Each structure stands twice: as structure tokens, then as C-alpha cells.
Amino acid sequence: MTTSLCSITSFAHTDDLNQATLSLDNNERYQLIVTVDFIHLLQEHLDISGDDNNVLLALNQQSFFEQKKLLENLETVLSQQSSLFFSNKTNNIEQQQNMTFQGLQLQQLKRILAQPEKLTDYKVELHATGDIPENSGEVAVSFAPLLGNIVLKVVRPEQTLISSGELSQSFQINQSNAWHSNSVNIPNNISLTMDYIYQGFVHILPRGLDHILFVLALLLFARKRSSLIWQISAFTLAHTITLALGIYGFVTISSTIVEPLIALSIVYVGLENIYRANQRTNSQARLPIIFAFGLLHGLGFASVLSEVGLPASQYLTSLISFNVGVELGQLTVIALAFICLYPFRKKVWYQTKLVFALNIAIALIATYWLIERLI
């Protein structure tokens, strides 16, 4: 079915329209990304009158736990009130499938609340992925009324306006086209791999400040290159294990437990660095605790990857690619830190003042996160 852009031009306030992109992946998976204004969405959900300042004030009065529950509740409401309608091309049976939206990150909300005047907008992306039913011929979309009017772009690309709370037109799902040929799938697979490597990398740089501080603490503790390699290897092996177990559903622990424990792990390594600063300790004796902390961080990575979603046809490839991106991010952190610290390594005050001060800063920042995530 062909859609037209002509219907959009009659609306006066197109700047107020939210944007959505529906991708239909090889007739196996769909991915829906909706770009919305974070603060306006919360304003509608909480039914707060006035401007953005009123919303920011109300949010600042909530505790960490209340803000987290608010975002979880909002994601639930949006998921329950948004649906995809698939029609079976052989027997004309229509199947409704509720979407499961994710993407409302507490860290992003915290950044907005901390420095609202430095942000030009409060855009956030909601993600929903799922399986396309077998023999589906068409798909239509209905969004939660909270999301308002939406301009939907389909992969061909096509786009149409969906009025608030209304059902969209139907779109053809092409079951037999040239995209299934191996000559096209090869570049598609390469593109998919690069996408997930990128997702893993940006989760470390610049988004994963807690993981950055943990890796920096390992670097500051290591007096020799070999000890750093052992520690990073133990951390990498551990988080790779729980990343895979978490994604495949073998291990599921609530983020309300994992996030404070990740902060606690950073506090520990920062304080241990200070305590053992003047001791000649075998660094390999520290490996079991680093391995244990790596298991925690892996669960954090799994949570992020679950929100991004994995295509069924390239599940293992995407998982490995994401982990490669994480490792590249960690190595980049180590390389940048080494370059910055190298000119001072021969100074007599390097260990007693600079490294000591950095460990103090790491421990204090992580302590703040720990308290914030427990409240």
C-alpha cells in the first residue's frame, strides 16, 4: 500500500509532531523507534500544567526510586496502549501485538535535571522490537494517546500522519524481493555488525561513566603492564559471561539491585587503591574480586543490549559485535588515560599526590551514585 506525504502539509504545527520509524527486517523482526520530547511526555503523563520549569520542579522533588518507578510506569502505559496489527495474507486473520517500549533512561533524566539550561531539547528515543507473525501481508500501527500526533516513516521509506490514539493505514510486508538474495544480505550483515559494535562502544564512551571509572581504577592500581592486562582480562571475561547469560535469559536480576552494586564495586576498587597504595601487593590476588565485579557490570551491559534489541536472524552476531564494541570502548579509555598520565609517571609525586587524588575522586563519585541509587 502506498502512502502519501500530502496529508501532512495541511497541519499547521508540524514542529509539534513526534517522529517514528518502522523497520521490517527480512520479514522476521520489526523495530519501531519513536522520537519524543522527554519532558513533554512526562508532563502529559503526570498531567502537570504550565511550562517545562514546572515539570522539572516536580521531578526534582522526587527521589531516585520514585523517578525510576515513574519511568517504568510510563513505559508500561505506552506499551499497553500501543499496538501493531498484522494481517495474514492467506486467511485474512488479523493479529494484534502490543509493543514493549524501552528507552526512558533514568541517567538521561538525571542529566536533564542537573543542567536543563544547557540543553536545547529533551529528545529521547523509545524502542520496541518483536517478531513479525508468519505469513503476514500487512501491518498497521496504533500509538498510545500520550504520544500525540506522530509522523510515521516506513523503511521504503514512506510516511503518514497518525492522529492521536488512531489506527494508521496498513503497509505491505514484502515477502519475496531482492533483499533476500545473498549478494544483498552480505552488506546488510556488515552494516548490522558495525551498528552493534557502535552501540557497544558508545555505551562506554561517552555514556558509561560508571564503567569508565571502574576501568580507570584498574589502571591506577596497576604498576606493571602485565598486571593491568590480567585485571582487564578478568573483568572482560566476567562481563562477557553475564552479558551472554543475561541476553539469553538465564540470569535476570532487577536493575534496582544491579545498579547500586555496580556503584559499590567502584567505591571498593577506589578505596582499595588508596589502602594498598604503599603496599607491594601481588596484583593477581585481586583478580577474583575483579572477576566478581565484572559479572555485575556484564548484567548492566545486558540491560542496555536488551533495550537496543537483537534481530532473531543475527542474534549471536549482534551479541558478539556489541561485546566487541564494549571492549574497544574500554581499550580507548585505557589508551586516553595512559596518554594523559604518561608525562607525570616519572614524577616523585605521581603516586602520592596525583594517583591518590584520582582514587579519592573515583571513590567519592561512586559513593554519591551508590547513595542516589539506594534512595
Side-chain angles (χ1 to χ4, degrees):
M1 180 178 295
T2 303
T3 57
S4 172
L5 302 182
C6 297
S7 60
I8 299 175
T9 58
S10 61
F11 289 83
H13 301 289
T14 54
D15 288 342
D16 297 329
L17 301 177
N18 290 320
Q19 305 291 321
T21 301
L22 175 63
S23 301
L24 306 172
D25 180 21
N26 292 336
N27 308 315
E28 295 178 351
R29 298 278 291 176
Y30 70 81
Q31 182 181 50
L32 186 66
I33 300 176
V34 185
T35 304
V36 297
D37 187 296
F38 205 168
I39 298 302
H40 287 176
L41 181 60
L42 289 169
Q43 182 177 17
E44 291 292 324
H45 181 58
L46 296 172
D47 194 21
I48 298 174
S49 59
D51 57 15
D52 289 351
N53 290 329
N54 292 357
V55 184
L56 296 173
L57 179 61
L59 293 171
N60 272 314
Q61 292 174 347
Q62 295 184 340
S63 66
F64 172 86
F65 179 76
E66 290 172 330
Q67 291 172 350
K68 188 170 185 62
K69 293 296 292 183
L70 169 64
L71 298 186
E72 291 174 351
N73 180 57
L74 179 53
E75 285 184 343
T76 300
V77 170
L78 294 175
S79 299
Q80 291 175 345
Q81 297 181 2
S82 302
S83 301
L84 289 170
F85 297 83
F86 295 95
S87 61
N88 192 302
K89 65 180 181 180
T90 58
N91 52 23
N92 295 324
I93 296 177
E94 189 175 80
Q95 177 178 338
Q96 179 180 353
Q97 187 176 122
N98 283 346
M99 289 177 268
T100 302
F101 275 121
Q102 295 178 317
L104 299 180
Q105 297 292 321
L106 184 59
Q107 288 181 343
Q108 184 170 358
L109 178 60
K110 287 294 187 183
R111 285 196 295 269
I112 292 174
L113 296 178
Q115 297 178 316
E117 69 284 350
K118 293 187 178 181
L119 300 176
T120 57
D121 60 56
Y122 308 124
K123 296 296 183 183
V124 64
E125 288 189 349
L126 292 166
H127 301 265
T129 59
D131 295 319
I132 297 175
E134 193 173 349
N135 293 324
S136 294
E138 294 181 337
V139 60
V141 190
S142 175
F143 290 102
L146 277 175
L147 295 173
N149 296 331
I150 292 182
V151 173
L152 177 66
K153 182 180 294 184
V154 189
V155 288
R156 278 169 281 280
E158 300 171 338
Q159 66 182 39
T160 186
L161 175 68
I162 305 175
S163 298
S164 176
E166 296 297 324
L167 179 66
S168 79
Q169 301 181 41
S170 295
F171 303 95
Q172 294 287 342
I173 301 174
N174 194 347
Q175 293 256 343
S176 56
N177 55 38
W179 291 99
H180 285 277
S181 66
N182 291 333
S183 61
V184 178
N185 279 336
I186 292 175
N188 278 353
N189 292 340
I190 294 175
S191 176
L192 181 73
T193 298
M194 296 307 298
D195 285 344
Y196 277 89
I197 290 176
Y198 171 78
Q199 290 294 335
F201 185 88
V202 298
H203 179 61
I204 300 296
L205 281 173
R207 299 173 186 170
L209 186 55
D210 46 359
H211 304 299
I212 290 175
L213 290 189
F214 189 88
V215 172
L216 286 178
L218 299 185
L219 174 64
L220 293 173
F221 182 79
R223 301 286 182 92
K224 299 179 180 179
R225 185 183 306 170
S226 59
S227 62
L228 176 61
I229 292 174
W230 275 107
Q231 291 180 71
I232 293 297
S233 298
F235 180 64
T236 298
L237 176 61
H239 76 62
T240 300
I241 292 173
T242 45
L243 171 59
L245 292 177
I247 286 298
Y248 280 101
F250 293 108
V251 178
T252 54
I253 301 177
S254 171
S255 60
T256 57
I257 298 175
V258 173
E259 290 178 4
L261 289 177
I262 288 176
L264 181 61
S265 72
I266 304 169
V267 174
Y268 178 89
V269 292
L271 293 179
E272 188 185 30
N273 285 358
I274 297 169
Y275 176 73
R276 299 185 183 278
N278 297 320
Q279 300 180 14
R280 293 184 176 274
T281 306
N282 181 6
S283 62
Q284 293 190 13
R286 198 188 196 192
L287 295 182
I289 192 67
I290 292 177
F291 185 86
F293 288 153
L295 295 176
L296 287 173
H297 285 250
L299 293 174
F301 295 143
S303 175
V304 172
L305 187 52
S306 296
E307 293 177 359
V308 174
L310 291 172
S313 60
Q314 300 290 339
Y315 203 91
L316 182 60
T317 300
S318 303
L319 176 61
I320 294 173
S321 299
F322 182 86
N323 199 50
V324 169
V326 169
E327 302 316 315
L328 291 175
Q330 289 180 175
L331 292 175
T332 302
V333 169
I334 292 172
L336 292 175
F338 182 81
I339 291 172
C340 292
L341 294 175
Y342 184 77
F344 310 107
R345 291 180 67 87
K346 300 298 183 181
K347 305 293 184 182
V348 294
W349 43 261
Y350 173 73
Q351 288 290 340
T352 57
K353 293 185 178 180
L354 181 57
V355 172
F356 179 81
L358 291 174
N359 282 318
I360 287 288
I362 289 172
L364 288 176
I365 293 172
T367 300
Y368 171 77
W369 287 339
L370 176 61
I371 295 171
E372 182 184 50
R373 296 174 186 184
L374 288 174
I375 295 176

